[in-house]
Amino acid sequence: MPVFIPKPGSKSASRALKRPIPDIATFDSLVRNLVRSNPLGCTSYFSTRKNYPPVTVVREMYTAKFAYTNPAEKRIGTSSEVYDSMDGYETGVAAMISNVANITAHRGKIRHRKDADLFSAILKCNDPDDGIYFVSLARNRITVSSYRDDAIRKKVEAWADVALGTE
């Protein structure tokens, strides 16, 4: 059977969080703080006739989960909705909860299962010595990828220890 052979170059490392990020507001605050305060020491760069900031959000994804229950509180259906922004998530949750036609079709009461929601963001960072790498932040894990120097992983670990309480 063929084997994957590692190549020299970029690396990837992940860490599961001991405690998942509790809610979308906390998650959004972490992402925005990482972009604004730049605790990883990233630098702006120029490429393809465009100037890029030190840290940029490349992609965001927010999944809202719902359950439908009958009068006896037995689950009779579920659904999930995926949004590409926090604003979309908040508007979408309100729309799902107030969607009478959908609630009628399920013949039950809808409940937003906030504890089961998922959210993630991928941030692109430019290290002055090592170039571009990515930090993926999800509700239950953090991943740093496309880096070559272990000093970058250590910077991300130190930030996670403080910001996410992963020590």
Side-chain angles (χ1 to χ4, degrees), residues 24-59:
I24 194 164
T26 304
F27 179 81
D28 186 61
S29 175
L30 283 166
V31 171
R32 302 300 162 226
N33 187 45
L34 192 53
V35 171
R36 275 192 296 260
S37 66
N38 188 14
L40 303 176
C42 299
T43 58
S44 58
Y45 64 100
F46 189 80
S47 176
T48 320
R49 293 181 283 182
K50 186 175 178 186
N51 194 22
Y52 292 91
V55 181
T56 56
V57 177
V58 175
R59 184 185 69 127

Side-chain angles (χ1 to χ4, degrees), residues 8-110:
S10 66
K11 302 175 186 177
S12 178
S14 257
R15 177 191 288 181
L17 302 179
K18 291 179 186 175
R19 292 177 306 278
I21 297 170
D23 55 43
I24 194 164
T26 304
F27 179 81
D28 186 61
S29 175
L30 283 166
V31 171
R32 302 300 162 226
N33 187 45
L34 192 53
V35 171
R36 275 192 296 260
S37 66
N38 188 14
L40 303 176
C42 299
T43 58
S44 58
Y45 64 100
F46 189 80
S47 176
T48 320
R49 293 181 283 182
K50 186 175 178 186
N51 194 22
Y52 292 91
V55 181
T56 56
V57 177
V58 175
R59 184 185 69 127
E60 296 175 87
M61 191 159 61
Y62 302 90
T63 304
K65 305 236 178 176
F66 303 92
Y68 298 87
T69 55
N70 66 14
E73 294 297 316
K74 181 180 178 188
R75 187 179 76 190
I76 55 175
T78 62
S79 69
S80 63
E81 293 285 319
V82 180
Y83 306 96
D84 68 352
S85 69
M86 187 172 138
D87 291 338
Y89 166 90
E90 291 175 338
T91 303
V93 167
M96 285 295 291
I97 290 173
S98 63
N99 186 335
V100 175
N102 196 36
I103 295 168
T104 302
H106 280 283
R107 297 186 309 270
K109 181 180 176 184
I110 189 171

